[in-house]
Amino acid sequence: MSVDSKKQSNPFSTGGGGVNFETRVQASFAIALLTQSCVPCLPQTMRPKELKFQNKYDGSNTDDFVLVASDKLGSKCKLYAQIKHEITISDSIGSDENSSIFSDVIKSAWEDFQNDSFDKKNDAIALITGPLPKLDIANTLPLLEWARYSSSASEFIKKSNTKGFTSVAKLNKLGALRKQLDYANGNQAITDEQFWEFLRVFYLVSFDLILFYLVLFPP
Protein backbone atom coordinates (compact mmCIF):
# COMPACT_ATOMS: atom_id res chain seq x y z
CA MET A 1 0.00 0.00 0.00
CA SER A 2 1.40 3.39 -0.99
CA VAL A 3 1.68 6.17 1.54
CA ASP A 4 1.66 9.89 0.71
CA SER A 5 5.14 11.07 1.68
CA LYS A 6 3.80 14.48 2.74
CA LYS A 7 1.76 12.76 5.44
CA GLN A 8 4.71 10.85 6.86
CA SER A 9 6.28 12.30 9.97
CA ASN A 10 9.97 13.00 10.35
CA PRO A 11 11.33 10.94 13.28
CA PHE A 12 13.19 14.04 14.50
CA SER A 13 9.91 15.99 14.60
CA THR A 14 7.80 13.22 16.14
CA GLY A 15 10.43 12.78 18.83
CA GLY A 16 10.22 16.46 19.74
CA GLY A 17 13.59 17.23 18.18
CA GLY A 18 12.36 20.35 16.42
CA VAL A 19 10.88 21.80 19.61
CA ASN A 20 14.01 20.89 21.57
CA PHE A 21 16.21 22.59 18.99
CA GLU A 22 14.07 25.74 19.05
CA THR A 23 14.09 25.83 22.85
CA ARG A 24 17.87 25.44 23.01
CA VAL A 25 18.45 28.19 20.47
CA GLN A 26 16.11 30.51 22.35
CA ALA A 27 17.87 29.63 25.62
CA SER A 28 21.23 30.51 24.07
CA PHE A 29 20.03 33.98 23.17
CA ALA A 30 18.53 34.35 26.65
CA ILE A 31 22.00 33.59 28.05
CA ALA A 32 23.43 36.26 25.76
CA LEU A 33 20.91 38.70 27.23
CA LEU A 34 21.81 37.78 30.79
CA THR A 35 25.57 37.92 30.17
CA GLN A 36 25.37 41.01 27.92
CA SER A 37 27.27 39.23 25.16
CA CYS A 38 27.30 40.10 21.47
CA VAL A 39 24.90 38.10 19.31
CA PRO A 40 25.08 36.77 15.74
CA CYS A 41 23.83 38.98 12.87
CA LEU A 42 24.19 42.25 14.81
CA PRO A 43 27.23 44.56 15.16
CA GLN A 44 29.66 43.55 17.90
CA THR A 45 29.10 46.89 19.63
CA MET A 46 25.46 45.99 20.23
CA ARG A 47 24.32 44.28 23.42
CA PRO A 48 20.91 42.64 23.92
CA LYS A 49 18.44 44.57 26.07
CA GLU A 50 15.14 42.82 25.46
CA LEU A 51 14.06 39.39 24.21
CA LYS A 52 10.51 38.44 23.21
CA PHE A 53 9.38 34.93 22.25
CA GLN A 54 6.48 34.00 19.94
CA ASN A 55 6.04 37.67 19.12
CA LYS A 56 3.25 37.48 16.52
CA TYR A 57 0.86 39.11 19.00
CA ASP A 58 3.05 42.23 18.77
CA GLY A 59 2.93 42.39 14.98
CA SER A 60 6.02 40.37 14.03
CA ASN A 61 5.67 37.67 11.39
CA THR A 62 9.17 36.27 11.95
CA ASP A 63 8.21 35.46 15.48
CA ASP A 64 10.21 32.69 17.15
CA PHE A 65 11.93 35.55 18.90
CA VAL A 66 12.67 39.24 18.49
CA LEU A 67 15.79 40.58 20.20
CA VAL A 68 16.26 44.31 20.81
CA ALA A 69 19.84 45.53 21.25
CA SER A 70 21.60 48.84 21.79
CA ASP A 71 25.13 50.22 22.02
CA LYS A 72 26.79 52.66 24.43
CA LEU A 73 25.67 55.61 22.31
CA GLY A 74 22.03 54.60 22.57
CA SER A 75 21.63 53.38 18.98
CA LYS A 76 19.14 50.51 18.71
CA CYS A 77 18.53 47.60 16.39
CA LYS A 78 16.38 44.47 16.30
CA LEU A 79 16.94 40.89 15.27
CA TYR A 80 13.90 38.96 14.03
CA ALA A 81 14.52 35.21 14.12
CA GLN A 82 12.79 32.12 12.77
CA ILE A 83 14.11 28.73 13.93
CA LYS A 84 13.88 25.60 11.76
CA HIS A 85 16.05 22.58 12.47
CA GLU A 86 15.89 21.39 8.85
CA ILE A 87 14.99 23.37 5.75
CA THR A 88 15.47 23.23 1.98
CA ILE A 89 16.60 26.39 0.16
CA SER A 90 14.80 26.07 -3.16
CA ASP A 91 12.45 27.80 -5.57
CA SER A 92 9.64 25.31 -4.89
CA ILE A 93 6.47 26.81 -3.51
CA GLY A 94 4.29 24.34 -1.67
CA SER A 95 5.35 21.26 -3.66
CA ASP A 96 6.68 19.46 -0.59
CA GLU A 97 6.81 20.06 3.15
CA ASN A 98 10.38 21.41 3.37
CA SER A 99 9.97 23.74 0.40
CA SER A 100 6.67 25.02 1.76
CA ILE A 101 8.39 25.80 5.08
CA PHE A 102 11.10 27.84 3.35
CA SER A 103 8.46 29.65 1.30
CA ASP A 104 6.55 30.51 4.49
CA VAL A 105 9.75 31.75 6.19
CA ILE A 106 10.59 34.07 3.28
CA LYS A 107 7.01 35.35 3.12
CA SER A 108 7.04 36.21 6.84
CA ALA A 109 10.48 37.81 6.54
CA TRP A 110 9.37 39.90 3.56
CA GLU A 111 6.28 41.13 5.42
CA ASP A 112 8.44 42.21 8.37
CA PHE A 113 10.96 43.81 6.02
CA GLN A 114 8.18 45.86 4.42
CA ASN A 115 6.76 46.97 7.77
CA ASP A 116 7.25 50.63 8.70
CA SER A 117 8.70 49.58 12.07
CA PHE A 118 11.58 47.72 10.39
CA ASP A 119 14.80 49.76 10.15
CA LYS A 120 16.40 48.60 6.89
CA LYS A 121 19.76 50.14 7.82
CA ASN A 122 20.09 48.56 11.26
CA ASP A 123 17.65 45.68 11.82
CA ALA A 124 18.24 42.09 10.71
CA ILE A 125 16.22 38.96 9.97
CA ALA A 126 17.68 35.51 10.63
CA LEU A 127 16.67 32.01 9.62
CA ILE A 128 18.40 29.83 12.21
CA THR A 129 18.84 26.18 11.28
CA GLY A 130 20.75 23.10 12.25
CA PRO A 131 23.71 21.96 10.13
CA LEU A 132 23.38 23.25 6.56
CA PRO A 133 23.94 21.10 3.48
CA LYS A 134 27.31 21.70 1.80
CA LEU A 135 25.57 23.11 -1.30
CA ASP A 136 23.94 25.89 0.74
CA ILE A 137 27.18 26.66 2.56
CA ALA A 138 28.98 26.95 -0.77
CA ASN A 139 26.29 28.68 -2.80
CA THR A 140 23.73 30.49 -0.61
CA LEU A 141 25.87 32.00 2.14
CA PRO A 142 28.26 33.74 -0.30
CA LEU A 143 25.33 35.46 -2.04
CA LEU A 144 24.17 36.97 1.23
CA GLU A 145 27.70 38.13 2.01
CA TRP A 146 28.06 39.68 -1.46
CA ALA A 147 24.84 41.62 -0.87
CA ARG A 148 26.13 42.92 2.48
CA TYR A 149 29.48 43.98 1.04
CA SER A 150 28.09 45.61 -2.10
CA SER A 151 27.59 49.36 -2.06
CA SER A 152 24.57 49.28 -4.39
CA ALA A 153 22.07 46.99 -6.04
CA SER A 154 23.82 47.36 -9.41
CA GLU A 155 27.16 46.30 -7.90
CA PHE A 156 25.55 43.26 -6.29
CA ILE A 157 23.74 42.20 -9.47
CA LYS A 158 26.91 42.63 -11.53
CA LYS A 159 29.02 40.72 -8.99
CA SER A 160 26.57 37.84 -8.70
CA ASN A 161 26.27 37.45 -12.48
CA THR A 162 29.92 37.88 -13.54
CA LYS A 163 31.31 34.81 -15.25
CA GLY A 164 34.30 33.48 -13.36
CA PHE A 165 33.21 35.13 -10.13
CA THR A 166 29.94 33.26 -9.68
CA SER A 167 28.78 29.78 -10.73
CA VAL A 168 25.72 28.04 -12.13
CA ALA A 169 24.91 26.69 -8.66
CA LYS A 170 25.04 30.19 -7.15
CA LEU A 171 22.88 31.58 -9.94
CA ASN A 172 20.32 28.84 -9.27
CA LYS A 173 20.20 29.80 -5.59
CA LEU A 174 19.92 33.47 -6.54
CA GLY A 175 17.00 32.65 -8.81
CA ALA A 176 15.36 30.59 -6.06
CA LEU A 177 15.59 33.46 -3.57
CA ARG A 178 14.17 35.92 -6.08
CA LYS A 179 11.30 33.60 -7.00
CA GLN A 180 10.39 33.16 -3.34
CA LEU A 181 10.45 36.93 -2.80
CA ASP A 182 8.31 37.56 -5.88
CA TYR A 183 5.81 35.06 -4.47
CA ALA A 184 5.95 36.73 -1.05
CA ASN A 185 5.30 40.06 -2.79
CA GLY A 186 1.92 38.87 -4.00
CA ASN A 187 3.35 37.29 -7.18
CA GLN A 188 4.64 40.71 -8.24
CA ALA A 189 8.26 40.97 -9.38
CA ILE A 190 10.43 42.86 -6.91
CA THR A 191 13.01 45.37 -8.14
CA ASP A 192 16.78 44.84 -8.07
CA GLU A 193 16.95 47.45 -5.33
CA GLN A 194 14.41 45.62 -3.16
CA PHE A 195 16.18 42.32 -3.79
CA TRP A 196 19.56 43.69 -2.72
CA GLU A 197 18.15 45.54 0.30
CA PHE A 198 16.42 42.39 1.55
CA LEU A 199 19.42 40.09 1.10
CA ARG A 200 21.61 42.61 2.96
CA VAL A 201 19.59 42.13 6.14
CA PHE A 202 18.72 38.43 5.74
CA TYR A 203 20.97 35.94 7.52
CA LEU A 204 21.07 32.16 7.17
CA VAL A 205 22.62 30.87 10.39
CA SER A 206 23.74 27.28 10.85
CA PHE A 207 23.51 27.04 14.61
CA ASP A 208 26.18 25.12 16.49
CA LEU A 209 25.34 25.20 20.20
CA ILE A 210 28.84 24.16 21.21
CA LEU A 211 30.40 26.98 19.17
CA PHE A 212 27.87 29.48 20.55
CA TYR A 213 28.80 28.61 24.12
CA LEU A 214 32.50 28.92 23.27
CA VAL A 215 31.83 32.44 21.99
CA LEU A 216 29.97 33.34 25.19
CA PHE A 217 32.39 31.60 27.54
CA PRO A 218 35.84 31.39 25.88
CA PRO A 219 38.28 28.95 27.54
Side-chain angles (χ1 to χ4, degrees), residues 198-217:
F198 178 85
L199 294 186
R200 286 179 68 240
V201 302
F202 184 73
Y203 291 79
L204 180 59
V205 181
S206 180
F207 204 81
D208 185 329
L209 287 168
I210 295 176
L211 179 60
F212 190 87
Y213 284 118
L214 285 175
V215 170
L216 290 180
F217 309 110

Side-chain angles (χ1 to χ4, degrees), residues 113 120 139-161 165 170 174 177 181 192-204:
F113 176 76
K120 295 178 181 179
N139 299 306
T140 306
L141 295 184
L143 294 173
L144 301 179
E145 289 302 306
W146 292 352
R148 278 186 269 283
Y149 289 102
S150 294
S151 60
S152 64
S154 58
E155 180 185 343
F156 169 67
I157 296 299
K158 182 178 180 181
K159 184 183 297 182
S160 57
N161 284 276
F165 189 78
K170 286 184 176 64
L174 194 72
L177 289 165
L181 286 166
D192 288 348
E193 189 77 17
Q194 289 175 312
F195 190 40
W196 169 64
E197 287 184 338
F198 178 85
L199 294 186
R200 286 179 68 240
V201 302
F202 184 73
Y203 291 79
L204 180 59

